Structures are given as structure tokens and as C-alpha cells.
Amino acid sequence: MKTSRRDFLKLGLAVSSALVPLPAIAQGAAPRVVVVGGGFAGASCARALHQAEPRIAVTLVEPNATFTACPFSNAVIAGLRELGAQQFTYERVAADGITLVRAAATGVDVAARSVSLADGARLAYDRLVLAPGIDIRWGALAGYDEAAAAQMPHAWRAGEQTLLLRRQLEAMDDGGLVVISAPANPFRCPPGPYERASLIAHYLKTKKPKSKLLVLDAKDAFSKQRLFQAAWAELYPGLLEWVPLSKGGAVTSVDVATRTLVTDFGRHQANVANIIPPQKAGRIADAAGVADRTGWCPIDPVTFESKLQPRIHVIGDAAIAGAMPKSAFAANSQAKTCAAAVATLLTGGTPSTPKLINTCYSLVAPDYGISVAGVYQPSPGGQLADVPGAGGVSPADAPRATRAAEAVLAEAWFRTITAEVFG
Amino acid sequence: MSRALVAAIGLASIAAAAAASAEPPAGAASCSGCHPASARVASPVPRLAGHDRAAIVRAMQEFRSGQRAGTVMDRIAKGFTDDEIQAIAAWFAAQK
Ligand SMILES: Cc1cc2nc3c(=O)[nH]c(=O)nc-3n(C[C@H](O)[C@H](O)[C@H](O)COP(=O)(O)OP(=O)(O)OC[C@H]3O[C@@H](n4cnc5c(N)ncnc54)[C@H](O)[C@@H]3O)c2cc1C
């Protein structure tokens, strides 16, 4: 690789500032921020904090050595991509000067301002950032527990579950019935179930064309609905059927032994069943007392500080972020906003009012992308609200060339964001 | 010296440094979700760091008014005021 003069200067700068000794006093008193969770939200926040103020001692707590990303995991399920393309390590994050602790956080002592780890160790903090993503609400759907997920995968946290669903589809005979159960709001990645349905339909159309795909939905409306439905009518007629809540879509229980999904209107016996179950904030949020009765975490929209506990900030899927959806894009955007606010608070300043962006691309087919975008700001009511007149979905009447361009932009987005978070 | 005093002096010296390093203006931190911050990322979406300030302002205003077509920038630019666009453009233009 050729190193340009500019790169060289940058490297030189980075090295020299790292070597300049801090005054002893500042060293002793460096404020400590602990970030729990090394996903899109947590890893972004740790890096942005360090960048904003290198003298803050940033510790990132994450039990896994490898992070497996959910965006584009639907393409893995459909056999269009390998799981390795979803996996990232924390080497570059550590190289920034962030202390990595490979452990799960198990508790928070709010009064003592410390986080406890699975091995009993404690980490003291001046400010704590919780970014644990989601946990499944096991048992909220009758019959669906951790053992059931080994037969009827959720694949809503990427990794072995993603591969299991893919293997089940590959093993299914042509002419089989695939059923997806989509949950009520709110949940991780609002367009995710419909992107998944699209790409599984693409797999069936090209590999097992006598098969059928049924989407049983606990809702009557979903993200980018008109665009998805128009594309389904064009690309997958007769193959993909969506059943809304009002037509009996809500799954009330599952029977693992017979792979049956039960609704108020009937029973569907599937050859492959994908249950996208009800969710809540990662369990450390409960342990820290920052989750409310909904299972998610109310926050201040300027600083992302918990409305329930002082000095604890919550970002990413775990947070109740008003109009912002639970997406990797939003998690990264919130992380940078939160990092700036935390750095300002730790140095005695007043955080300024932020503006945030979200964009979620979805693939309806490998060369057919659509998007939804939004711009957000704190509302007088203390929520993150849509900036009126901004955002929206891709045009309904766009030509196929635009859909192809958005599919290319979707992949570019994934490369860009994962490079910022892990690269 | 008391611990609290040590902490206060430490924070004060950090505060002075923080004032010197400009915090991104509202909205600017979200642009790098698509416009790569790093020159090492291959993307059809251009980097904004070091771009001409007036060119960024013009592009944003044209996306916002619909004068310039885009796949997504029209929807995003509509969320920003002239003042915000000016601040964001100045911030990116000042980067290397
Ligand atoms: C199929 C699918 C497709 C998707 N597609 C897109 C897309 O195209 N675009 C998009 O923007 N978003 C997409 N998403 C959503 C995106 O994956 C999430 O919104 C994003 O991962 C949220 O980031 P997070 O940091 O909050 O959580 P995560 O990324 O899940 O990270 C949480 C991290 O915290 C760690 N953790 C949890 N508890 C603890 C603990 N107690 N101690 C220490 N560490 C802990 C976990 O190990 C994990 O690494 C998709 C999701 C799915 C399921």
C-alpha cells in the first residue's frame, strides 16, 4: 500500500499525541466511561468518546471476540452471502486506545457507580453507557422458548441461528411451506421481516419454485409496506402471501414437535418456520434499573441519559428513541450524539441540541433495493421526533435502474458503517 | 490535596482542551453513516472531508429544493435549515 503524505502526517500526529505525557494530575483524575456492549451502538460510542476527548479513560465491555452483524444477514439466509462477511473483530477498536474487557456485565451498582462482571470483578465509572441491543422475551409467545429456537429459529441475533435457518431452507424439498411469524411493534429492524420474506422468496423462486412462503403478522401495517407489496406482486406473484393481524395473522402459540404455528383463525404446519419473537432491551438494562415496564429504556433525547437512573446513558436498540427505529444506522448515529454529550458533560459543559439521521435500506431481490430515511430532533415533549417535511421512502414509481442503484448503495452503506464501527 | 480537588483540576484541564477541539455541528456526525470518514472505504458515495464548503452548501440546497435529483439526499436535505447546512459544510471543509 502506498502511504500518501497526508496519511503519513495523520499517522505521525496520532503517534505523537499518544506519546505526549499528560500532567500527572490529569492522569490521576481522568474521567472514566464504561461502555457495555460492543455492537453498532457501543463500539461506535467508545470510539467517538475517545476521539472527542482522548483523556477520557474508555472501557468497552463485550463478551464476544467476534461481532456478527445482522444487517445483510437476510442475504446469508438466502444463500447470497457468507456469514464471514458479517463478522468483525475489535482489534482496531483496541488499537485506538480503548480498554477492552472480554466479559459480560451482570449488574450495576448505581450508588457506588460500578459495573459488575460475570467473574465478580467491578469496573468503576463516572458515566456509564449501556448498549446491549435486544434480548428475546422467551415465553411471551406460548411454546417458544430457547429449546424451541433450535427447531424454529428466530435468526434475529445473527450467528448460528442465521446458519440454522439457511440449512433448514436448503434441506427443504421443493413444494414445501415456509412460514415467517412477524411480531408487534416495537422490535429490532422494522423492515427486517419483510426483507427476509423477500430474499427467502427469491431463493424459493430460483431454487424451489413449487414452494410457498406465508408471512403471519401481528400487525396490519409495516415499514415500506407499499414498496414491498408492489415489488412482491411484480417479482413473487403466487409465491409469497402476507397475512395481516385483521385477517388472522397474529400467531398465539407454536408447537415445536409438529412445527405448527397457531393463530386465532387456524393452524399452519410449516416445513420451515422462522419465528421472529417479541423482544426487550438486553437484560443488563433491567439489572441496572433503566428499563421501564415496556422492557425498553426511556432516555433524554439530547444526552441519551436514562430517565430512570442518573449517569447511565442508553443507546441503540435498547433505548426508546421516539420516532427513530431500532436500526444499526440509528444506533451508530445515537452513539456519536451520546459520545459528544458525555464528553461535554464530563468537562462541565452543556450539550447542544442534536439532529440525527436514520436510513434503512432493504433488498427485495439482489438487484432491487428500497430505502426509508428520517431526520430527527428532540421535541418539546422530550422525545426524538421526525423533522417535519424530511425523510420518507423511495419513490413508488422509480424505474428499475433506481432500484438497482439503491441495492448497490445498500452494500456501500454496510461497508462504510462497519468500517467506521470496527475498521 | 483532596481527591475532589485533584478531580476538579483534571476536569478543568480537559475542559480547556475540549473547547479547542470543535464538536461536530448538529447533524454532521450522521453523514458519515454513508459518506465514508475513512479514505480506505470503497463507496460510490463521496467522502465529505476537505470538500469545498460552497459546493457542499450548494448541493444540499439543490437536493432540498428538488433542483438536483438524488436517490436519498433529497429526503435527507429537507431536514436541515440554511444555518445548519452552513455549519455542517464549514465543519467538513475544515477537515483533512
Ligand atoms: C435480519 C436483520 C436485518 C437487519 N438489517 C438492518 C439494516 O439493513 N440496516 C440497519 O440499520 N439495521 C438493520 N438491522 C438492525 C440492527 O442489527 C440493530 O438495530 C443493531 O444491531 C442495533 O445495535 P446495538 O448496538 O443496539 O445492538 P447489537 O448490535 O446487537 O450489539 C449489542 C452488543 O452488546 C453485547 N452485550 C449484550 N449484553 C451484554 C452484557 N450484559 N455485557 C456485555 N456485552 C453485552 C452483545 O454481545 C452485542 O455485541 C437488522 C437486524 C436484523 C435482525
Side-chain angles (χ1 to χ4, degrees), chain A residues 37 39-41 62-64 67 70-71 105 132-133 188-189 317 327-329 413:
Chain A
F40 282 97
E62 164 63 52
N64 302 307
F67 178 76
C70 286
R188 158 176 285 184
C189 195
D317 285 358
S327 74
F329 195 115
W413 164 77

Side-chain angles (χ1 to χ4, degrees), chain B residues 58-78:
Chain B
R58 191 168 57 249
M60 287 293 281
Q61 288 172 339
E62 289 180 358
F63 283 128
R64 195 177 57 185
S65 69
Q67 208 176 324
R68 179 165 168 187
T71 55
V72 71
M73 277 313 295
D74 48 343
R75 291 177 265 158
I76 290 172
K78 288 192 178 89

Side-chain angles (χ1 to χ4, degrees), chain B residues 72-92:
Chain B
V72 71
M73 277 313 295
D74 48 343
R75 291 177 265 158
I76 290 172
K78 288 192 178 89
F80 292 90
T81 64
D82 281 331
D83 286 349
E84 287 168 339
I85 290 173
Q86 290 287 352
I88 292 171
W91 187 74
F92 278 116

Side-chain angles (χ1 to χ4, degrees), chain A residues 55 333 336 355 371 391-392 420, chain B residues 11 17 29-30 32 42 75 79 84:
Chain A
R55 280 170 290 186
S333 192
K336 290 182 277 193
K355 217 164 219 191
S371 62
E420 183 173 285
Chain B
L11 288 178
S30 290
S32 64
R75 291 177 265 158
E84 287 168 339

Side-chain angles (χ1 to χ4, degrees), chain B residues 2-76:
Chain B
S2 80
R3 235 186 97 76
L5 185 59
V6 170
I9 295 171
L11 288 178
S13 69
I14 289 180
S21 76
E23 193 187 302
S30 290
C31 309
S32 64
C34 298
H35 293 270
S38 159
R40 287 194 302 267
V41 178
S43 173
V45 185
R47 291 183 73 218
L48 294 174
H51 255 229
D52 180 53
R53 173 184 170 150
I56 297 177
V57 170
R58 191 168 57 249
M60 287 293 281
Q61 288 172 339
E62 289 180 358
F63 283 128
R64 195 177 57 185
S65 69
Q67 208 176 324
R68 179 165 168 187
T71 55
V72 71
M73 277 313 295
D74 48 343
R75 291 177 265 158
I76 290 172

